[in-house]
Amino acid sequence: MLPWIDLRSDTVTQPTPEMRAAMAAADVGDDVYGEDPTVNRLQKIAAAQMGKEDGLFVPSGTMGNLIAVLAQCSRGDEVIMGDLGHTFLFEGGGIAALGGVFPHTLPNHPDGTLMLEDIRSAIRPDDVHHPISKLVILENTHNRCGGVPLSQEYTRAVGELAHSKGLGLHIDGARIYNAAVALQIPPADLVKWADSVTFCLSKGLCAPVGSVLCGSQAMIARARRIRKQLGGGMRQAGFLAAAGIFAIEHLTQRLGEDHRRARRLADGLAELPGISFELGMPATNMVFPSLRKDISMTAVDLANRLKEKGILAGVVAERQLRMVTHYWIDDAAVERTLEVFRGILS
């Protein structure tokens, strides 16, 4: 159990005892030589889960997204993405700094989508004055839009539009399993029209580190070389990969418990004076309560008061918190959090 009720993110999860045992027993080799059997098994399992030909184990989702762009774009090309997307907001401008790839941002709508007509209008004509439009990026679930899942129908529409214009589609699926559980659909069906997809093992799935990038064999071959160039080649990484295998095989289907607890937390908070939900009630494991104007404290003030009572919450705006449920947040933790909120806001 974590020492705090830590709701800042599902990145704070730690390996379960069973996962630690699987890591300790892992068979390992040198992955740069392609000789780590556990890494190889993880990559095959991940690719099968996503309905793709091959997979590549990478240290982080940020690196996975960067590699996906670099493997499918050249310097001076353009990637179309949301202005609230993780790749645009939280990945250090890596595609531009390291790849010379131009980000073309479109407004994300409250449901995490980009308007199809906006995407169509953003695709450049064949003109020497313009960068070449090469890739569209979607995020599922969408973090800054409240952890909302993107539907199979929408992703299909974007994929078909992109492909009809000669562009690829990449899905930042850091929490694709949350989307799959929420929509009650296999993850492969959510990324069927994507040329590449990343998903994270170290968020709600409790692994200590790592993401997997999946796509065609040809794209993953390019990606492996780029991973090495970025310093992401790992040696006896099977100890880490074993955690990922355990996560996929044992922890993906329990994510519904996190969603249920997020909704219980949101329902309880909605009953309190001064709390609203501008981003709507949670569809997955993210809760975004806002402070109404009649509450004098800011989100930072509230987070500090919560911390004094052993509860950690994230601050995402002047009057808005983000709280994320995960494996280490049980029913008692949710009820304790609501009790503390009541005491502060009463």
Side-chain angles (χ1 to χ4, degrees):
M1 179 64 75
L2 300 178
W4 298 76
I5 297 176
D6 196 340
L7 291 158
R8 291 172 298 171
S9 177
D10 47 7
T11 62
V12 304
T13 53
Q14 297 180 9
T16 68
E18 297 81 5
M19 182 181 286
R20 291 174 185 267
M23 293 171 67
D27 190 11
V28 301
D30 191 317
D31 180 51
V32 174
Y33 292 142
E35 296 174 354
D36 190 301
T38 309
V39 172
N40 292 339
R41 180 168 174 243
L42 169 63
Q43 291 169 164
K44 289 180 180 178
I45 291 172
Q49 289 271 305
M50 298 299 132
K52 304 303 178 188
E53 293 178 351
D54 205 354
L56 182 69
F57 185 40
V58 295
S60 71
T62 293
M63 181 180 283
N65 289 335
L66 174 60
I67 291 173
V69 172
L70 298 185
Q72 297 175 84
C73 299
S74 300
R75 299 190 69 84
D77 287 346
E78 178 179 72
V79 174
I80 298 167
M81 66 183 75
D83 61 355
L84 295 178
H86 195 277
T87 302
F88 179 63
L89 291 179
F90 302 121
E91 297 183 4
I95 65 170
L98 302 177
V101 177
F102 182 69
H104 186 154
T105 59
L106 303 175
N108 277 112
H109 288 255
D111 62 356
T113 64
L114 309 174
M115 292 292 289
L116 292 177
E117 189 53 43
D118 287 349
I119 296 173
R120 184 177 288 108
S121 298
I123 298 173
R124 307 276 189 164
D126 185 8
D127 187 312
V128 295
H129 297 88
H130 301 306
I132 299 172
S133 300
K134 264 299 183 60
L135 194 66
V136 178
I137 297 179
L138 298 178
E139 183 179 335
N140 196 10
T141 62
H142 200 288
N143 182 348
R144 273 295 179 262
C145 291
V148 292
L150 273 58
S151 71
Q152 178 185 24
E153 295 76 17
Y154 172 74
T155 305
R156 175 178 182 172
V158 174
E160 290 179 345
L161 171 59
H163 295 155
S164 73
K165 300 295 185 180
L167 280 70
L169 172 62
H170 172 66
I171 294 181
D172 174 3
R175 297 179 176 88
I176 195 68
Y177 282 102
N178 291 91
V181 169
L183 298 174
Q184 297 184 329
I185 187 172
D189 289 351
L190 287 176
V191 300
K192 183 177 180 179
W193 293 272
D195 300 278
S196 57
V197 56
T198 55
F199 69 90
C200 190
L201 299 165
S202 61
K203 292 186 171 70
L205 299 184
C206 293
V209 66
S211 289
V212 186
L213 169 64
C214 299
S216 69
Q217 289 182 341
M219 193 276 286
I220 293 299
R222 294 192 298 273
R224 188 177 300 277
R225 179 178 290 273
I226 295 167
R227 185 187 68 174
K228 182 64 176 176
Q229 291 173 332
L230 294 174
M234 296 177 283
R235 299 296 179 176
Q236 287 72 32
F239 294 114
L240 302 175
I245 293 170
F246 184 91
I248 293 171
E249 293 182 341
H250 298 282
L251 299 181
T252 53
Q253 293 307 309
R254 63 148 305 278
L255 293 173
E257 298 176 27
D258 299 338
H259 301 176
R260 175 181 60 79
R261 291 182 176 116
R263 188 57 188 245
R264 166 59 189 144
L265 179 59
D267 286 343
L269 291 174
E271 297 173 355
L272 301 181
I275 296 291
S276 64
F277 284 88
E278 297 172 2
L279 295 182
M281 300 300 275
T284 57
N285 65 328
M286 294 187 182
V287 182
F288 284 80
S290 296
L291 291 169
R292 295 192 178 119
K293 293 182 180 179
D294 57 330
I295 298 294
S296 60
M297 71 179 73
T298 66
V300 171
D301 296 331
L302 179 54
N304 287 337
R305 294 281 298 277
L306 291 168
K307 187 175 181 179
E308 291 172 0
K309 300 293 185 179
I311 297 168
L312 301 179
V315 176
V316 295
E318 183 179 1
R319 304 188 67 78
Q320 189 176 67
L321 298 177
R322 184 185 79 153
M323 297 186 289
V324 186
T325 54
H326 50 79
Y327 182 92
W328 298 101
I329 300 298
D330 58 14
D331 291 336
V334 171
E335 297 307 319
R336 171 59 181 161
T337 300
L338 289 172
E339 178 185 349
V340 171
F341 263 92
R342 293 186 194 104
I344 293 173
L345 295 176
S346 61

